[in-house]
Amino acid sequence: MADTYHREGRGSGMMQHYRQQQQSDSPWANQAVKAVTAATAGGSLLVLAGLTLAGTVIALTVATPLLVIFSPVLVPAMITVFLLATGFLTSGGFGIAAATVLSWMYKYVTGEHPTGADSLDQAAHKLGSKGREIRDRVEHAAGGGGHATGGGHYTS
């Protein structure tokens, strides 16, 4: 709506008056307002921090005797709960990983070309070519026969 007033020429005097009023305010007044705002916000946060500290100290004072009395039960219980939670989370993570791998393998076998299939094909090609190269070297070193054992004859 302000754009409409400004485009049509109406209200431009009001905008100029507002800008002049902003420019006429002294920098000291702006700094004073900023300082008061900062002091108020900082003071409020400092009071909240103090109240939080006081509440923590009171809660710790009340809870310490209870923790000492019940520690023979609480410590093993917390260790057990931690181990159970860790086991369940690990099991779930391995299950998700297995499902992901199986899904990827299914997509690869059915020809859907999942992410990383090019790398796998390239690695398989490199392994195959290295295997053939090694086989050829062994055959050449063995005298050029069909097999590295001397033509496939067994001696007994």
Short mmCIF file of all heavy atoms in Angstrom, two decimals, residues 29-83:
data_model
loop_
_atom_site.label_atom_id
_atom_site.label_comp_id
_atom_site.label_asym_id
_atom_site.label_seq_id
_atom_site.Cartn_x
_atom_site.Cartn_y
_atom_site.Cartn_z
N ALA A 29 21.19 10.08 20.95
CA ALA A 29 19.90 9.48 21.31
C ALA A 29 19.83 8.04 20.83
O ALA A 29 19.33 7.16 21.55
CB ALA A 29 18.76 10.31 20.71
N ASN A 30 20.31 7.79 19.61
CA ASN A 30 20.32 6.42 19.10
C ASN A 30 21.19 5.53 19.96
O ASN A 30 20.83 4.39 20.27
CB ASN A 30 20.82 6.39 17.65
CG ASN A 30 19.78 6.94 16.68
OD1 ASN A 30 18.60 6.95 16.98
ND2 ASN A 30 20.26 7.39 15.54
N GLN A 31 22.37 6.02 20.34
CA GLN A 31 23.26 5.23 21.18
C GLN A 31 22.66 4.98 22.55
O GLN A 31 22.82 3.91 23.13
CB GLN A 31 24.62 5.92 21.31
CG GLN A 31 25.43 5.87 20.04
CD GLN A 31 26.77 6.55 20.19
OE1 GLN A 31 27.01 7.22 21.19
NE2 GLN A 31 27.61 6.41 19.18
N ALA A 32 21.95 5.96 23.07
CA ALA A 32 21.31 5.80 24.38
C ALA A 32 20.23 4.73 24.33
O ALA A 32 20.13 3.89 25.23
CB ALA A 32 20.73 7.13 24.85
N VAL A 33 19.44 4.74 23.25
CA VAL A 33 18.39 3.73 23.10
C VAL A 33 19.01 2.34 22.97
O VAL A 33 18.54 1.37 23.58
CB VAL A 33 17.49 4.06 21.89
CG1 VAL A 33 16.57 2.91 21.55
CG2 VAL A 33 16.68 5.32 22.17
N LYS A 34 20.08 2.24 22.19
CA LYS A 34 20.76 0.95 22.03
C LYS A 34 21.32 0.47 23.37
O LYS A 34 21.23 -0.71 23.70
CB LYS A 34 21.88 1.06 21.01
CG LYS A 34 21.41 1.19 19.58
CD LYS A 34 22.59 1.32 18.64
CE LYS A 34 22.15 1.56 17.21
NZ LYS A 34 23.31 1.73 16.30
N ALA A 35 21.91 1.37 24.13
CA ALA A 35 22.49 1.00 25.42
C ALA A 35 21.43 0.54 26.40
O ALA A 35 21.61 -0.46 27.12
CB ALA A 35 23.28 2.17 26.00
N VAL A 36 20.32 1.25 26.45
CA VAL A 36 19.23 0.86 27.36
C VAL A 36 18.66 -0.49 26.96
O VAL A 36 18.40 -1.35 27.81
CB VAL A 36 18.13 1.95 27.38
CG1 VAL A 36 16.89 1.47 28.09
CG2 VAL A 36 18.67 3.20 28.04
N THR A 37 18.49 -0.71 25.67
CA THR A 37 17.97 -2.00 25.20
C THR A 37 18.94 -3.12 25.53
O THR A 37 18.53 -4.19 26.00
CB THR A 37 17.73 -1.93 23.67
OG1 THR A 37 16.85 -0.85 23.39
CG2 THR A 37 17.14 -3.22 23.16
N ALA A 38 20.22 -2.88 25.29
CA ALA A 38 21.21 -3.92 25.58
C ALA A 38 21.27 -4.20 27.07
O ALA A 38 21.37 -5.36 27.49
CB ALA A 38 22.58 -3.49 25.06
N ALA A 39 21.21 -3.17 27.89
CA ALA A 39 21.26 -3.36 29.34
C ALA A 39 20.04 -4.12 29.83
O ALA A 39 20.14 -5.00 30.69
CB ALA A 39 21.36 -2.01 30.04
N THR A 40 18.89 -3.82 29.27
CA THR A 40 17.67 -4.52 29.67
C THR A 40 17.73 -5.99 29.28
O THR A 40 17.44 -6.88 30.09
CB THR A 40 16.44 -3.86 29.00
OG1 THR A 40 16.42 -2.49 29.35
CG2 THR A 40 15.16 -4.53 29.46
N ALA A 41 18.13 -6.27 28.04
CA ALA A 41 18.22 -7.66 27.59
C ALA A 41 19.30 -8.41 28.37
O ALA A 41 19.09 -9.54 28.82
CB ALA A 41 18.52 -7.70 26.09
N GLY A 42 20.46 -7.77 28.54
CA GLY A 42 21.54 -8.41 29.28
C GLY A 42 21.17 -8.66 30.74
O GLY A 42 21.46 -9.72 31.30
N GLY A 43 20.52 -7.69 31.35
CA GLY A 43 20.09 -7.85 32.75
C GLY A 43 19.07 -8.96 32.90
O GLY A 43 19.14 -9.76 33.84
N SER A 44 18.14 -9.04 31.97
CA SER A 44 17.12 -10.10 32.02
C SER A 44 17.78 -11.48 31.89
O SER A 44 17.45 -12.41 32.63
CB SER A 44 16.09 -9.92 30.92
OG SER A 44 15.44 -8.69 31.05
N LEU A 45 18.70 -11.60 30.95
CA LEU A 45 19.39 -12.88 30.77
C LEU A 45 20.24 -13.22 31.98
O LEU A 45 20.35 -14.39 32.37
CB LEU A 45 20.23 -12.85 29.50
CG LEU A 45 19.44 -12.80 28.19
CD1 LEU A 45 20.38 -12.63 27.01
CD2 LEU A 45 18.60 -14.05 28.03
N LEU A 46 20.86 -12.21 32.61
CA LEU A 46 21.66 -12.45 33.80
C LEU A 46 20.78 -12.92 34.95
O LEU A 46 21.17 -13.84 35.69
CB LEU A 46 22.40 -11.17 34.17
CG LEU A 46 23.53 -11.29 35.18
CD1 LEU A 46 24.59 -12.25 34.65
CD2 LEU A 46 24.14 -9.92 35.45
N VAL A 47 19.61 -12.35 35.10
CA VAL A 47 18.68 -12.79 36.14
C VAL A 47 18.24 -14.24 35.88
O VAL A 47 18.20 -15.07 36.79
CB VAL A 47 17.46 -11.85 36.23
CG1 VAL A 47 16.35 -12.44 37.08
CG2 VAL A 47 17.88 -10.51 36.80
N LEU A 48 17.92 -14.56 34.62
CA LEU A 48 17.54 -15.94 34.29
C LEU A 48 18.68 -16.91 34.54
O LEU A 48 18.45 -18.02 35.04
CB LEU A 48 17.09 -16.02 32.83
CG LEU A 48 15.72 -15.43 32.53
CD1 LEU A 48 15.47 -15.45 31.02
CD2 LEU A 48 14.64 -16.20 33.24
N ALA A 49 19.90 -16.52 34.24
CA ALA A 49 21.05 -17.39 34.50
C ALA A 49 21.21 -17.62 36.00
O ALA A 49 21.48 -18.74 36.45
CB ALA A 49 22.31 -16.76 33.91
N GLY A 50 21.03 -16.58 36.79
CA GLY A 50 21.12 -16.72 38.25
C GLY A 50 20.04 -17.64 38.80
O GLY A 50 20.31 -18.48 39.67
N LEU A 51 18.83 -17.46 38.31
CA LEU A 51 17.74 -18.33 38.77
C LEU A 51 17.99 -19.78 38.38
O LEU A 51 17.71 -20.71 39.16
CB LEU A 51 16.41 -17.85 38.19
CG LEU A 51 15.85 -16.55 38.76
CD1 LEU A 51 14.61 -16.11 37.99
CD2 LEU A 51 15.52 -16.72 40.24
N THR A 52 18.50 -20.00 37.19
CA THR A 52 18.81 -21.36 36.74
C THR A 52 19.89 -21.97 37.62
O THR A 52 19.80 -23.14 38.02
CB THR A 52 19.26 -21.35 35.28
OG1 THR A 52 18.25 -20.74 34.49
CG2 THR A 52 19.53 -22.75 34.76
N LEU A 53 20.92 -21.20 37.93
CA LEU A 53 21.99 -21.70 38.80
C LEU A 53 21.45 -22.03 40.18
O LEU A 53 21.77 -23.09 40.74
CB LEU A 53 23.11 -20.67 38.89
CG LEU A 53 24.28 -21.04 39.79
CD1 LEU A 53 24.99 -22.28 39.24
CD2 LEU A 53 25.25 -19.89 39.93
N ALA A 54 20.62 -21.15 40.72
CA ALA A 54 20.06 -21.41 42.05
C ALA A 54 19.18 -22.66 42.04
O ALA A 54 19.26 -23.50 42.95
CB ALA A 54 19.25 -20.19 42.51
N GLY A 55 18.36 -22.81 41.02
CA GLY A 55 17.52 -24.01 40.92
C GLY A 55 18.33 -25.27 40.78
O GLY A 55 18.00 -26.31 41.37
N THR A 56 19.43 -25.20 40.03
CA THR A 56 20.30 -26.37 39.86
C THR A 56 20.95 -26.75 41.18
O THR A 56 21.01 -27.94 41.54
CB THR A 56 21.38 -26.07 38.80
OG1 THR A 56 20.74 -25.72 37.58
CG2 THR A 56 22.28 -27.27 38.58
N VAL A 57 21.42 -25.76 41.92
CA VAL A 57 22.05 -26.04 43.22
C VAL A 57 21.04 -26.64 44.18
O VAL A 57 21.34 -27.62 44.89
CB VAL A 57 22.70 -24.76 43.79
CG1 VAL A 57 23.12 -24.95 45.23
CG2 VAL A 57 23.88 -24.35 42.94
N ILE A 58 19.85 -26.12 44.22
CA ILE A 58 18.82 -26.66 45.12
C ILE A 58 18.44 -28.08 44.72
O ILE A 58 18.34 -28.98 45.57
CB ILE A 58 17.57 -25.73 45.13
CG1 ILE A 58 17.90 -24.41 45.82
CG2 ILE A 58 16.39 -26.41 45.81
CD1 ILE A 58 16.84 -23.35 45.67
N ALA A 59 18.26 -28.33 43.43
CA ALA A 59 17.91 -29.67 42.97
C ALA A 59 19.03 -30.66 43.26
O ALA A 59 18.77 -31.80 43.68
CB ALA A 59 17.62 -29.64 41.47
N LEU A 60 20.27 -30.24 43.09
CA LEU A 60 21.40 -31.12 43.38
C LEU A 60 21.50 -31.40 44.87
O LEU A 60 21.80 -32.54 45.28
CB LEU A 60 22.69 -30.47 42.87
CG LEU A 60 23.93 -31.36 42.82
CD1 LEU A 60 23.66 -32.58 41.94
CD2 LEU A 60 25.11 -30.59 42.29
N THR A 61 21.23 -30.39 45.71
CA THR A 61 21.26 -30.59 47.16
C THR A 61 20.20 -31.59 47.59
O THR A 61 20.44 -32.43 48.46
CB THR A 61 21.04 -29.24 47.87
OG1 THR A 61 22.01 -28.31 47.41
CG2 THR A 61 21.14 -29.38 49.36
N VAL A 62 19.03 -31.52 46.99
CA VAL A 62 17.96 -32.44 47.35
C VAL A 62 18.22 -33.83 46.77
O VAL A 62 17.96 -34.85 47.43
CB VAL A 62 16.60 -31.89 46.84
CG1 VAL A 62 15.50 -32.91 46.98
CG2 VAL A 62 16.24 -30.62 47.59
N ALA A 63 18.74 -33.91 45.57
CA ALA A 63 18.88 -35.19 44.89
C ALA A 63 20.13 -35.98 45.31
O ALA A 63 20.14 -37.20 45.18
CB ALA A 63 18.93 -34.96 43.39
N THR A 64 21.16 -35.32 45.83
CA THR A 64 22.40 -36.02 46.16
C THR A 64 22.19 -37.14 47.18
O THR A 64 22.66 -38.26 46.98
CB THR A 64 23.46 -35.02 46.64
OG1 THR A 64 23.73 -34.10 45.58
CG2 THR A 64 24.74 -35.73 47.02
N PRO A 65 21.49 -36.90 48.30
CA PRO A 65 21.29 -38.02 49.23
C PRO A 65 20.50 -39.18 48.61
O PRO A 65 20.81 -40.35 48.86
CB PRO A 65 20.50 -37.39 50.38
CG PRO A 65 20.72 -35.94 50.28
CD PRO A 65 20.98 -35.65 48.84
N LEU A 66 19.54 -38.85 47.76
CA LEU A 66 18.78 -39.91 47.11
C LEU A 66 19.66 -40.71 46.15
O LEU A 66 19.55 -41.93 46.06
CB LEU A 66 17.59 -39.32 46.36
CG LEU A 66 16.50 -38.67 47.24
CD1 LEU A 66 15.47 -37.98 46.36
CD2 LEU A 66 15.85 -39.70 48.12
N LEU A 67 20.53 -40.01 45.42
CA LEU A 67 21.43 -40.71 44.51
C LEU A 67 22.41 -41.60 45.27
O LEU A 67 22.73 -42.71 44.82
CB LEU A 67 22.20 -39.71 43.65
CG LEU A 67 21.38 -38.99 42.58
CD1 LEU A 67 22.21 -37.90 41.92
CD2 LEU A 67 20.88 -39.97 41.54
N VAL A 68 22.89 -41.14 46.43
CA VAL A 68 23.82 -41.95 47.22
C VAL A 68 23.11 -43.18 47.78
O VAL A 68 23.66 -44.28 47.76
CB VAL A 68 24.44 -41.10 48.35
CG1 VAL A 68 25.21 -41.96 49.33
CG2 VAL A 68 25.34 -40.03 47.76
N ILE A 69 21.90 -43.00 48.24
CA ILE A 69 21.15 -44.13 48.80
C ILE A 69 20.82 -45.17 47.74
O ILE A 69 20.97 -46.37 47.95
CB ILE A 69 19.86 -43.63 49.50
CG1 ILE A 69 20.22 -42.84 50.76
CG2 ILE A 69 18.94 -44.80 49.86
CD1 ILE A 69 19.05 -42.10 51.37
N PHE A 70 20.38 -44.70 46.57
CA PHE A 70 19.93 -45.62 45.52
C PHE A 70 21.01 -45.97 44.49
O PHE A 70 20.73 -46.68 43.53
CB PHE A 70 18.72 -45.04 44.80
CG PHE A 70 17.49 -44.97 45.66
CD1 PHE A 70 16.96 -43.74 46.02
CD2 PHE A 70 16.89 -46.12 46.12
CE1 PHE A 70 15.82 -43.68 46.81
CE2 PHE A 70 15.77 -46.05 46.92
CZ PHE A 70 15.23 -44.83 47.27
N SER A 71 22.24 -45.54 44.68
CA SER A 71 23.27 -45.79 43.68
C SER A 71 23.56 -47.28 43.45
O SER A 71 23.87 -47.66 42.32
CB SER A 71 24.55 -45.04 44.02
OG SER A 71 25.12 -45.54 45.20
N PRO A 72 23.48 -48.15 44.47
CA PRO A 72 23.71 -49.57 44.16
C PRO A 72 22.69 -50.16 43.19
O PRO A 72 22.95 -51.16 42.54
CB PRO A 72 23.62 -50.26 45.52
CG PRO A 72 23.91 -49.20 46.52
CD PRO A 72 23.38 -47.93 45.91
N VAL A 73 21.52 -49.54 43.10
CA VAL A 73 20.50 -50.01 42.17
C VAL A 73 20.55 -49.21 40.86
O VAL A 73 20.42 -49.79 39.77
CB VAL A 73 19.10 -49.89 42.82
CG1 VAL A 73 18.01 -50.22 41.83
CG2 VAL A 73 19.02 -50.74 44.06
N LEU A 74 20.76 -47.90 40.97
CA LEU A 74 20.69 -47.04 39.80
C LEU A 74 21.84 -47.25 38.82
O LEU A 74 21.64 -47.25 37.61
CB LEU A 74 20.65 -45.57 40.23
CG LEU A 74 19.38 -45.12 40.95
CD1 LEU A 74 19.52 -43.67 41.37
CD2 LEU A 74 18.18 -45.29 40.06
N VAL A 75 23.06 -47.44 39.33
CA VAL A 75 24.21 -47.57 38.44
C VAL A 75 24.09 -48.82 37.57
O VAL A 75 24.20 -48.72 36.34
CB VAL A 75 25.53 -47.53 39.24
CG1 VAL A 75 26.71 -47.89 38.36
CG2 VAL A 75 25.73 -46.17 39.87
N PRO A 76 23.85 -50.01 38.14
CA PRO A 76 23.68 -51.17 37.26
C PRO A 76 22.47 -51.04 36.33
O PRO A 76 22.51 -51.48 35.18
CB PRO A 76 23.50 -52.35 38.21
CG PRO A 76 24.06 -51.90 39.50
CD PRO A 76 23.87 -50.42 39.54
N ALA A 77 21.40 -50.40 36.82
CA ALA A 77 20.22 -50.21 35.97
C ALA A 77 20.54 -49.30 34.80
O ALA A 77 20.14 -49.57 33.66
CB ALA A 77 19.07 -49.64 36.79
N MET A 78 21.29 -48.23 35.04
CA MET A 78 21.64 -47.31 33.96
C MET A 78 22.59 -47.98 32.97
O MET A 78 22.48 -47.77 31.76
CB MET A 78 22.27 -46.03 34.51
CG MET A 78 21.28 -45.14 35.25
SD MET A 78 19.78 -44.78 34.33
CE MET A 78 20.43 -43.85 32.98
N ILE A 79 23.52 -48.80 33.47
CA ILE A 79 24.42 -49.52 32.58
C ILE A 79 23.62 -50.47 31.70
O ILE A 79 23.84 -50.57 30.49
CB ILE A 79 25.51 -50.26 33.38
CG1 ILE A 79 26.47 -49.25 34.00
CG2 ILE A 79 26.26 -51.25 32.50
CD1 ILE A 79 27.46 -49.86 34.96
N THR A 80 22.66 -51.16 32.30
CA THR A 80 21.83 -52.10 31.55
C THR A 80 20.99 -51.36 30.50
O THR A 80 20.91 -51.80 29.34
CB THR A 80 20.91 -52.87 32.51
OG1 THR A 80 21.71 -53.52 33.48
CG2 THR A 80 20.06 -53.88 31.77
N VAL A 81 20.39 -50.27 30.89
CA VAL A 81 19.58 -49.48 29.95
C VAL A 81 20.45 -48.97 28.81
O VAL A 81 20.05 -49.02 27.63
CB VAL A 81 18.87 -48.31 30.67
CG1 VAL A 81 18.30 -47.31 29.69
CG2 VAL A 81 17.79 -48.85 31.58
N PHE A 82 21.67 -48.50 29.13
CA PHE A 82 22.57 -48.02 28.10
C PHE A 82 22.95 -49.13 27.13
O PHE A 82 22.93 -48.94 25.91
CB PHE A 82 23.84 -47.43 28.74
CG PHE A 82 24.90 -47.07 27.75
CD1 PHE A 82 24.78 -45.93 26.97
CD2 PHE A 82 26.02 -47.87 27.57
CE1 PHE A 82 25.74 -45.59 26.04
CE2 PHE A 82 26.98 -47.55 26.65
CZ PHE A 82 26.86 -46.40 25.89
N LEU A 83 23.28 -50.31 27.65
CA LEU A 83 23.65 -51.42 26.78
C LEU A 83 22.48 -51.88 25.92
O LEU A 83 22.66 -52.20 24.73
CB LEU A 83 24.19 -52.58 27.62
CG LEU A 83 25.56 -52.35 28.26
CD1 LEU A 83 25.93 -53.53 29.15
CD2 LEU A 83 26.62 -52.14 27.19
#
